[in-house]
Every structure is written in structure tokens, then in C-alpha cells.
Amino acid sequence: MIIQELELIDYRNYSHAHTELDSSLNIIVGGNAVGKTNLLESVRILSLGSSYRASSDREVIRWGCDQAIIHCRIVRRGKSYQMDFQIHRNGQKRIRVNQVERQGHGEPEGLVVAVLFSPDDLKIVKEGPEYRRDYIDQVLIQISSKYAYFRKRYLRTLTQRNSLLKSLMGERKNLDTLEAWDQYLAEAASHIYRMRRAGIEKIQKLANRRMREISPQENLQISYTPNFELDLSEDGKQVCQAFLQQLKQEREEDIARGITSFGPHRDELVLTVSDIDLRTYGSQGQQRTAALALRMAEIDFLREELEVTPILLLDDVMSELDKERRESLMRLLRDDMQCLLTTTNISYFDPQILTSQTVLEIKNGTIRRGGL
Ligand SMILES: Nc1ncnc2c1ncn2[C@@H]1O[C@H](COP(=O)(O)OP(=O)(O)O)[C@@H](O)[C@H]1O
Ligand SMILES: [Mg+2]
């Protein structure tokens, strides 16, 4: 799929910017803090329904403005669409496709499919489990609006349950409400668990294949287990019942601590390379290759599941990678993918590929095509 045209209104540092995009490589060039990452983030918002780098969606609204609008014209499997994504200061999000408002709660339409590579990807491998949960969530949200819905419902219910738990520390009241939250939480949890399990099983194979392309000796494994005894091969109802049972069992403990101590929000994905725990013992090189392999596997997985080729967003990755990994990334570009790549330094590129179509220069909140 490709984005032919992108327009940003009161979004981040852009008051009004508009550009057409090339169907293959687009090199976005500009100094520091001019809005290169912001531009890629806007495409990622269209694909995920929210920002991966903002704690609240409202953060992307240009300071002092009421709402941000991201508008695009896309072609997907031979059909054209117009998509509008609107984020209001009051937190409300609206998605319109071909002028028709989409029902729902800001879950992505699934029309724009994109994969982002950034220097932060190393965190998936090196840092805490929340980065690995974000990774798997970003992948699954794009293939299933049901997953997006249950994840949002789970997190919202969790916040409500936790504040209720805190209020129960002193005096026992509203136990009925707790029962209701538990039921609601368990239903969402069982969907998340089962979808994560099925997704990881497939991604693991694809990631290992990508790992071995770059580094033939290595074997990348991803293992996923909930943080309590739970058989995920059972059906949804049974997983839900088992989760409810555990909530009951841990209730006193949870009240004493004022938090829900287990569940998908505590999931860990353990990455190993040739049976070595990558996070603790992996070499810098193994960690970098694995992070790259995971993102490449995301492309493969989305392609398989959705039968569309995602847009490749490469945020400032050229300077981070060595020649070998850079080449393996650039090989992807031959696969007929649209790519938006940001850089402060154009000299990484062969002058032959730099045409007036491919370079977008960003300056003072404007995007100028052919800016060389
Ligand atoms: N909501 C916002 N409103 C206005 N400006 C913003 C907003 N959020 C971020 N910015 C500005 O965007 C700039 C950073 O843009 P970014 O895309 O990260 O830069 P880079 O080109 O280095 O990737 C900063 O100067 C920041 O002040
Ligand atoms: Mg940046």
C-alpha cells in the first residue's frame, strides 16, 4: 500500500503542511528538531490509532490549538481512499474514511499499515518487558481491531480496578463493583492472552528467519508465558475462568498492595539467541541484529496476515547501523515498498538515487519536495 498525499494541520510543530509522496523511496532531510520524526509519527498514528511516543494523544496537538488533523490519500490493493484522523483537545478522536465517520473508539481502520524502525528499537531487546509488550501490541493492533479494542478495554478496566483496590484498603465496600470489574477484566485478558500467543508463535518463526539471514549462526527464540500458571492452549472461556479464579485467589493480596499483581500488563516475552538470554548476556551485535530482525518480522507478518505490503518508516537509523545491517535494511527497499526515511545527512545515499521526486526537505514547519 502507499500514501500518495499527506496533510498535517495543527499537528506537532506543523501548522499546515502538505506533500505528495513517491511510491518508493522518500528521503526526508532536515536539521535537528525540525519535525522529521513528527512526520513519521503521523503515519504511525494512522496505522495504530494513537501515538507510540506520546503518553497522551493530546500531546500531538500543536501547542495552543484545539485539534490536530492528519489527512491522507492512500492506495491499497488497487483502491483509493481518503482518510482523516482528528484528535481533539478534549481527548476525542474521530476517523473518517472517504468522508464517512467510522464508528468505534479510535481503533485504527486497518487501512494504513506501517512498520517503524528507529534507534529506540534496541530498547525492545535491552530494556524492560514493557518495550516487548509494546512491540507485540503494535503488531497485533494493526492486524486486528478486535485486539485494539480489547487491549484498550483491558487497560481502562485495570486503572479502574486498581483505584477501587486502593479504596478497599481501609474499608470493605463496593465489593459488587469489584466483582463486575473482575469479570470485565477477565474477558479482555483472555482475548489478549490468546491473540498474543498465536501472534508470537508466527512472529517467532519469521524473526528467526530474518535473524539467520543477517547472522546465519544465530537462532532467535521468543518465549511467551503469562506471569502465573495458565494453560493458553485452552479455549477462550476456560482461559477467562482461570483468570477469574486467579483474581479471586489473589484478591486479599491485591487489596493489600492496591494493584492488580498479574495479567497481560505484566507479560514478559523472553528473547534468547542460541539459548542465551539476549537481554542479559547478548553481545551488542546480537542485540542490534535481533532488534532489526524483530522489525523485519513485523513486515513479514503484516504482509502474510493482511496481504498488503506495509509502508516502511525509517527514522534516523542509517547513522546507527553498521554497513552490513544498513545494507540488509536497504535490500528491503527493492521489495516494492514505499519508504519514508529521515536523515540529517544525505551523504549516505548514492547520488544516483537522489532525484527531485525522492527528497523532501523540512524547514520551519514546511515540507518542500525536491529540496536539494
Ligand atoms: N505539540 C507540539 N506542538 C508544537 N511543537 C511541538 C509539539 N510536539 C513537539 N514539538 C516540536 O517538535 C520538534 C521535534 O520534532 P522532531 O520531529 O522530534 O524532530 P527531528 O526532526 O529531530 O526528528 C521540537 O522542536 C518540539 O518542540
Ligand atoms: Mg527525530
Side-chain angles (χ1 to χ4, degrees):
M1 65 147 305
I2 59 164
I3 296 186
Q4 293 180 313
E5 195 183 330
L6 183 69
E7 187 179 13
L8 305 171
I9 301 168
D10 293 334
Y11 164 81
R12 293 278 191 195
N13 63 324
Y14 297 94
S15 74
H16 189 180
H18 172 265
T19 186
E20 310 222 321
L21 294 169
D22 193 78
S23 61
S24 54
L25 179 62
N26 297 270
I27 300 171
I28 297 158
V29 62
N32 280 322
V34 295
K36 300 184 298 301
T37 300
N38 293 345
L39 181 71
L40 297 199
E41 180 193 23
S42 75
V43 177
R44 196 70 171 144
I45 290 174
L46 295 175
S47 73
L48 293 176
S50 59
S51 170
Y52 63 95
R53 63 172 191 160
S55 52
S56 144
D57 289 322
R58 270 166 279 189
E59 262 177 52
V60 308
I61 301 169
R62 191 162 178 259
W63 298 322
C65 298
D66 284 335
Q67 61 173 9
I69 298 173
I70 306 167
H71 171 81
C72 71
R73 192 156 50 81
I74 69 172
V75 176
R76 179 188 155 119
R77 301 176 79 174
K79 276 178 123 176
S80 295
Y81 303 86
Q82 303 260 359
M83 185 171 167
D84 282 291
F85 195 99
Q86 211 172 323
I87 304 163
H88 198 271
R89 206 159 48 141
N90 66 13
Q92 214 176 32
K93 288 190 272 191
R94 289 168 73 185
I95 301 174
R96 256 177 301 200
V97 176
N98 295 338
Q99 318 293 340
V100 179
E101 178 126 9
R102 192 179 174 266
Q103 300 306 314
H105 302 91
E107 285 90 31
E109 174 63 30
L111 278 178
V112 175
V113 185
V115 176
L116 172 80
F117 289 69
S118 91
D120 280 349
D121 289 347
L122 209 48
K123 291 184 181 165
I124 303 172
V125 174
K126 286 180 87 158
E127 308 235 337
E130 64 274 23
Y131 290 95
R132 287 176 286 288
R133 288 194 294 268
D134 280 352
Y135 166 77
I136 191 67
D137 284 349
Q138 286 171 7
V139 182
L140 295 177
I141 282 170
Q142 291 202 70
I143 63 154
S144 164
S145 55
K146 188 170 145 195
Y147 186 83
Y149 167 77
F150 280 114
R151 176 177 174 271
K152 198 181 288 177
R153 180 171 132 178
Y154 180 83
L155 294 174
R156 197 173 289 160
T157 311
L158 187 68
T159 308
Q160 284 161 323
R161 185 179 195 268
N162 286 345
S163 58
L164 183 60
L165 287 172
K166 286 191 184 79
S167 77
L168 288 171
M169 272 183 202
E171 139 186 47
R172 293 300 157 103
K173 52 177 190 191
N174 296 333
L175 283 175
D176 286 356
T177 316
L178 187 61
E179 294 274 345
W181 289 144
D182 285 3
Q183 183 67 37
Y184 218 53
L185 199 66
E187 277 165 18
S190 75
H191 285 283
I192 297 170
Y193 277 137
R194 297 179 72 246
M195 285 190 253
R196 279 186 182 169
R197 176 178 183 255
I200 290 164
E201 215 168 270
K202 290 182 185 169
I203 290 166
Q204 125 84 33
K205 291 197 184 88
L206 299 167
N208 192 27
R209 196 185 302 158
R210 287 296 191 176
M211 183 86 185
R212 295 168 71 98
E213 268 173 23
I214 310 172
S215 195
Q217 265 58 271
E218 319 264 32
N219 223 344
L220 176 64
Q221 301 285 329
I222 310 172
S223 67
Y224 170 58
T225 43
N227 71 336
F228 71 104
E229 196 81 27
L230 182 68
D231 182 359
L232 287 181
S233 63
E234 296 195 278
D235 72 19
K237 271 208 177 98
Q238 283 166 313
V239 172
C240 182
Q241 277 311 317
F243 190 82
L244 264 178
Q245 195 59 41
Q246 185 74 10
L247 283 173
K248 285 214 172 73
Q249 201 174 307
E250 299 293 323
R251 183 178 280 183
E252 286 309 316
E253 189 102 341
D254 281 1
I255 291 174
R257 298 206 286 157
I259 52 156
T260 307
S261 52
F262 66 96
H265 63 291
R266 292 285 183 90
D267 270 352
E268 170 63 297
L269 312 182
V270 178
L271 302 172
T272 56
V273 165
S274 307
D275 298 325
I276 290 169
D277 183 288
L278 190 59
R279 185 181 175 199
T280 319
Y281 300 109
S283 71
Q284 183 87 275
Q286 286 172 320
Q287 290 176 337
R288 279 178 188 271
T289 309
L292 200 58
L294 285 169
R295 287 297 183 203
M296 288 179 168
E298 186 175 343
I299 300 174
D300 299 336
F301 180 71
L302 293 173
R303 231 190 218 144
E304 270 184 27
E305 297 291 312
L306 300 170
E307 294 177 10
V308 296
T309 301
I311 300 169
L312 195 56
L313 307 172
L314 302 181
D315 193 13
D316 214 8
V317 291
M318 302 311 268
S319 53
E320 285 282 312
L321 298 173
D322 59 19
K323 193 161 169 281
E324 199 181 336
R325 292 187 190 90
R326 195 150 62 214
E327 277 167 6
S328 109
L329 199 56
M330 292 316 277
R331 269 198 297 276
L332 286 174
L333 299 181
R334 286 190 226 129
D335 288 356
D336 202 19
M337 293 179 89
Q338 186 178 38
C339 173
L340 276 62
L341 177 154
T342 69
T343 184
T344 47
N345 182 354
I346 204 100
S347 67
Y348 287 117
F349 298 91
D350 185 342
Q352 279 177 334
I353 65 164
L354 302 175
T355 68
S356 63
Q357 295 301 300
T358 52
V359 179
L360 307 176
E361 190 186 19
I362 308 216
K363 227 182 215 173
N364 306 327
T366 59
I367 310 168
R368 194 160 67 95
R369 251 180 130 203
L372 276 187

PDB file of all heavy atoms in Angstrom, residues 13-14 28-38 343-344 361-366:
ATOM      1  N   ASN A  13       4.695  20.322  15.363  1.00  0.00           N
ATOM      2  CA  ASN A  13       5.199  21.655  15.013  1.00  0.00           C
ATOM      3  C   ASN A  13       4.718  22.139  13.628  1.00  0.00           C
ATOM      4  O   ASN A  13       5.205  23.140  13.129  1.00  0.00           O
ATOM      5  CB  ASN A  13       6.737  21.689  15.076  1.00  0.00           C
ATOM      6  CG  ASN A  13       7.382  20.753  14.072  1.00  0.00           C
ATOM      7  OD1 ASN A  13       6.854  19.676  13.810  1.00  0.00           O
ATOM      8  ND2 ASN A  13       8.496  21.154  13.500  1.00  0.00           N
ATOM      9  N   TYR A  14       3.775  21.407  13.028  1.00  0.00           N
ATOM     10  CA  TYR A  14       3.267  21.814  11.710  1.00  0.00           C
ATOM     11  C   TYR A  14       1.933  22.555  11.864  1.00  0.00           C
ATOM     12  O   TYR A  14       0.985  21.982  12.409  1.00  0.00           O
ATOM     13  CB  TYR A  14       3.026  20.593  10.820  1.00  0.00           C
ATOM     14  CG  TYR A  14       4.284  19.817  10.501  1.00  0.00           C
ATOM     15  CD1 TYR A  14       4.666  18.718  11.280  1.00  0.00           C
ATOM     16  CD2 TYR A  14       5.093  20.175   9.425  1.00  0.00           C
ATOM     17  CE1 TYR A  14       5.815  18.002  10.990  1.00  0.00           C
ATOM     18  CE2 TYR A  14       6.246  19.462   9.125  1.00  0.00           C
ATOM     19  CZ  TYR A  14       6.609  18.377   9.909  1.00  0.00           C
ATOM     20  OH  TYR A  14       7.742  17.667   9.625  1.00  0.00           O
ATOM     21  N   ILE A  28      13.610  12.083   3.790  1.00  0.00           N
ATOM     22  CA  ILE A  28      13.179  13.291   4.484  1.00  0.00           C
ATOM     23  C   ILE A  28      14.389  13.872   5.193  1.00  0.00           C
ATOM     24  O   ILE A  28      14.939  13.245   6.100  1.00  0.00           O
ATOM     25  CB  ILE A  28      12.061  12.946   5.484  1.00  0.00           C
ATOM     26  CG1 ILE A  28      10.860  12.416   4.696  1.00  0.00           C
ATOM     27  CG2 ILE A  28      11.672  14.141   6.323  1.00  0.00           C
ATOM     28  CD1 ILE A  28       9.910  11.577   5.510  1.00  0.00           C
ATOM     29  N   VAL A  29      14.796  15.034   4.745  1.00  0.00           N
ATOM     30  CA  VAL A  29      16.057  15.566   5.243  1.00  0.00           C
ATOM     31  C   VAL A  29      15.837  16.909   5.945  1.00  0.00           C
ATOM     32  O   VAL A  29      14.953  17.685   5.588  1.00  0.00           O
ATOM     33  CB  VAL A  29      17.089  15.651   4.075  1.00  0.00           C
ATOM     34  CG1 VAL A  29      16.636  16.570   2.980  1.00  0.00           C
ATOM     35  CG2 VAL A  29      18.465  16.058   4.577  1.00  0.00           C
ATOM     36  N   GLY A  30      16.616  17.142   6.992  1.00  0.00           N
ATOM     37  CA  GLY A  30      16.497  18.389   7.736  1.00  0.00           C
ATOM     38  C   GLY A  30      17.369  18.320   8.978  1.00  0.00           C
ATOM     39  O   GLY A  30      17.789  17.228   9.379  1.00  0.00           O
ATOM     40  N   GLY A  31      17.610  19.472   9.579  1.00  0.00           N
ATOM     41  CA  GLY A  31      18.452  19.521  10.781  1.00  0.00           C
ATOM     42  C   GLY A  31      17.750  18.907  11.978  1.00  0.00           C
ATOM     43  O   GLY A  31      16.712  18.251  11.836  1.00  0.00           O
ATOM     44  N   ASN A  32      18.322  19.134  13.153  1.00  0.00           N
ATOM     45  CA  ASN A  32      17.713  18.572  14.352  1.00  0.00           C
ATOM     46  C   ASN A  32      16.458  19.339  14.745  1.00  0.00           C
ATOM     47  O   ASN A  32      16.390  20.545  14.577  1.00  0.00           O
ATOM     48  CB  ASN A  32      18.714  18.630  15.518  1.00  0.00           C
ATOM     49  CG  ASN A  32      19.697  17.485  15.412  1.00  0.00           C
ATOM     50  OD1 ASN A  32      19.329  16.376  15.041  1.00  0.00           O
ATOM     51  ND2 ASN A  32      20.953  17.763  15.717  1.00  0.00           N
ATOM     52  N   ALA A  33      15.493  18.602  15.270  1.00  0.00           N
ATOM     53  CA  ALA A  33      14.258  19.174  15.824  1.00  0.00           C
ATOM     54  C   ALA A  33      13.437  19.986  14.823  1.00  0.00           C
ATOM     55  O   ALA A  33      12.735  20.912  15.195  1.00  0.00           O
ATOM     56  CB  ALA A  33      14.579  20.028  17.058  1.00  0.00           C
ATOM     57  N   VAL A  34      13.501  19.617  13.537  1.00  0.00           N
ATOM     58  CA  VAL A  34      12.689  20.337  12.554  1.00  0.00           C
ATOM     59  C   VAL A  34      11.326  19.666  12.320  1.00  0.00           C
ATOM     60  O   VAL A  34      10.440  20.249  11.693  1.00  0.00           O
ATOM     61  CB  VAL A  34      13.403  20.507  11.183  1.00  0.00           C
ATOM     62  CG1 VAL A  34      14.617  21.386  11.304  1.00  0.00           C
ATOM     63  CG2 VAL A  34      13.738  19.157  10.575  1.00  0.00           C
ATOM     64  N   GLY A  35      11.182  18.421  12.818  1.00  0.00           N
ATOM     65  CA  GLY A  35       9.897  17.742  12.654  1.00  0.00           C
ATOM     66  C   GLY A  35       9.957  16.491  11.789  1.00  0.00           C
ATOM     67  O   GLY A  35       8.921  16.041  11.288  1.00  0.00           O
ATOM     68  N   LYS A  36      11.144  15.909  11.653  1.00  0.00           N
ATOM     69  CA  LYS A  36      11.265  14.702  10.823  1.00  0.00           C
ATOM     70  C   LYS A  36      10.553  13.514  11.490  1.00  0.00           C
ATOM     71  O   LYS A  36       9.743  12.831  10.868  1.00  0.00           O
ATOM     72  CB  LYS A  36      12.746  14.357  10.580  1.00  0.00           C
ATOM     73  CG  LYS A  36      13.538  15.448   9.871  1.00  0.00           C
ATOM     74  CD  LYS A  36      14.963  15.011   9.578  1.00  0.00           C
ATOM     75  CE  LYS A  36      15.797  14.695  10.813  1.00  0.00           C
ATOM     76  NZ  LYS A  36      15.935  15.814  11.771  1.00  0.00           N
ATOM     77  N   THR A  37      10.878  13.304  12.754  1.00  0.00           N
ATOM     78  CA  THR A  37      10.227  12.194  13.466  1.00  0.00           C
ATOM     79  C   THR A  37       8.725  12.435  13.582  1.00  0.00           C
ATOM     80  O   THR A  37       7.921  11.514  13.446  1.00  0.00           O
ATOM     81  CB  THR A  37      10.867  12.010  14.862  1.00  0.00           C
ATOM     82  OG1 THR A  37      12.254  11.722  14.684  1.00  0.00           O
ATOM     83  CG2 THR A  37      10.234  10.866  15.619  1.00  0.00           C
ATOM     84  N   ASN A  38       8.362  13.707  13.805  1.00  0.00           N
ATOM     85  CA  ASN A  38       6.927  14.032  13.890  1.00  0.00           C
ATOM     86  C   ASN A  38       6.179  13.575  12.644  1.00  0.00           C
ATOM     87  O   ASN A  38       5.060  13.074  12.723  1.00  0.00           O
ATOM     88  CB  ASN A  38       6.723  15.545  14.061  1.00  0.00           C
ATOM     89  CG  ASN A  38       7.227  16.053  15.409  1.00  0.00           C
ATOM     90  OD1 ASN A  38       7.464  15.252  16.318  1.00  0.00           O
ATOM     91  ND2 ASN A  38       7.384  17.362  15.533  1.00  0.00           N
ATOM     92  N   THR A 343      16.715  11.583   7.710  1.00  0.00           N
ATOM     93  CA  THR A 343      18.159  11.676   7.948  1.00  0.00           C
ATOM     94  C   THR A 343      18.568  13.147   8.072  1.00  0.00           C
ATOM     95  O   THR A 343      17.902  14.033   7.537  1.00  0.00           O
ATOM     96  CB  THR A 343      18.953  10.978   6.812  1.00  0.00           C
ATOM     97  OG1 THR A 343      20.340  11.002   7.131  1.00  0.00           O
ATOM     98  CG2 THR A 343      18.745  11.651   5.466  1.00  0.00           C
ATOM     99  N   THR A 344      19.641  13.378   8.814  1.00  0.00           N
ATOM    100  CA  THR A 344      20.185  14.740   8.841  1.00  0.00           C
ATOM    101  C   THR A 344      21.293  14.851   7.802  1.00  0.00           C
ATOM    102  O   THR A 344      21.759  15.942   7.491  1.00  0.00           O
ATOM    103  CB  THR A 344      20.788  15.077  10.228  1.00  0.00           C
ATOM    104  OG1 THR A 344      21.612  13.985  10.621  1.00  0.00           O
ATOM    105  CG2 THR A 344      19.714  15.304  11.259  1.00  0.00           C
ATOM    106  N   GLU A 361      12.565  18.180   1.828  1.00  0.00           N
ATOM    107  CA  GLU A 361      13.333  18.956   2.801  1.00  0.00           C
ATOM    108  C   GLU A 361      12.379  19.613   3.794  1.00  0.00           C
ATOM    109  O   GLU A 361      11.389  20.226   3.397  1.00  0.00           O
ATOM    110  CB  GLU A 361      14.151  20.024   2.085  1.00  0.00           C
ATOM    111  CG  GLU A 361      15.135  20.676   3.026  1.00  0.00           C
ATOM    112  CD  GLU A 361      15.861  21.854   2.375  1.00  0.00           C
ATOM    113  OE1 GLU A 361      15.380  22.387   1.351  1.00  0.00           O
ATOM    114  OE2 GLU A 361      16.902  22.245   2.915  1.00  0.00           O
ATOM    115  N   ILE A 362      12.695  19.448   5.074  1.00  0.00           N
ATOM    116  CA  ILE A 362      11.827  20.034   6.105  1.00  0.00           C
ATOM    117  C   ILE A 362      12.518  21.239   6.721  1.00  0.00           C
ATOM    118  O   ILE A 362      13.684  21.167   7.122  1.00  0.00           O
ATOM    119  CB  ILE A 362      11.526  19.011   7.207  1.00  0.00           C
ATOM    120  CG1 ILE A 362      11.017  17.740   6.564  1.00  0.00           C
ATOM    121  CG2 ILE A 362      10.541  19.582   8.221  1.00  0.00           C
ATOM    122  CD1 ILE A 362       9.979  17.020   7.298  1.00  0.00           C
ATOM    123  N   LYS A 363      11.794  22.338   6.754  1.00  0.00           N
ATOM    124  CA  LYS A 363      12.339  23.582   7.297  1.00  0.00           C
ATOM    125  C   LYS A 363      11.182  24.415   7.820  1.00  0.00           C
ATOM    126  O   LYS A 363      10.154  24.538   7.128  1.00  0.00           O
ATOM    127  CB  LYS A 363      13.022  24.355   6.147  1.00  0.00           C
ATOM    128  CG  LYS A 363      14.390  24.883   6.496  1.00  0.00           C
ATOM    129  CD  LYS A 363      14.915  25.652   5.302  1.00  0.00           C
ATOM    130  CE  LYS A 363      16.413  25.499   5.160  1.00  0.00           C
ATOM    131  NZ  LYS A 363      16.898  26.097   3.925  1.00  0.00           N
ATOM    132  N   ASN A 364      11.313  24.987   8.987  1.00  0.00           N
ATOM    133  CA  ASN A 364      10.291  25.872   9.561  1.00  0.00           C
ATOM    134  C   ASN A 364       8.860  25.358   9.398  1.00  0.00           C
ATOM    135  O   ASN A 364       7.964  26.091   9.004  1.00  0.00           O
ATOM    136  CB  ASN A 364      10.347  27.269   8.905  1.00  0.00           C
ATOM    137  CG  ASN A 364      11.735  27.851   8.975  1.00  0.00           C
ATOM    138  OD1 ASN A 364      12.453  27.598   9.942  1.00  0.00           O
ATOM    139  ND2 ASN A 364      12.115  28.608   7.961  1.00  0.00           N
ATOM    140  N   GLY A 365       8.664  24.092   9.670  1.00  0.00           N
ATOM    141  CA  GLY A 365       7.312  23.526   9.609  1.00  0.00           C
ATOM    142  C   GLY A 365       6.748  23.385   8.214  1.00  0.00           C
ATOM    143  O   GLY A 365       5.538  23.224   8.048  1.00  0.00           O
ATOM    144  N   THR A 366       7.610  23.463   7.196  1.00  0.00           N
ATOM    145  CA  THR A 366       7.113  23.230   5.832  1.00  0.00           C
ATOM    146  C   THR A 366       7.861  22.051   5.217  1.00  0.00           C
ATOM    147  O   THR A 366       8.986  21.735   5.617  1.00  0.00           O
ATOM    148  CB  THR A 366       7.351  24.448   4.909  1.00  0.00           C
ATOM    149  OG1 THR A 366       8.760  24.691   4.875  1.00  0.00           O
ATOM    150  CG2 THR A 366       6.628  25.685   5.389  1.00  0.00           C
TER     151      THR A 366
END
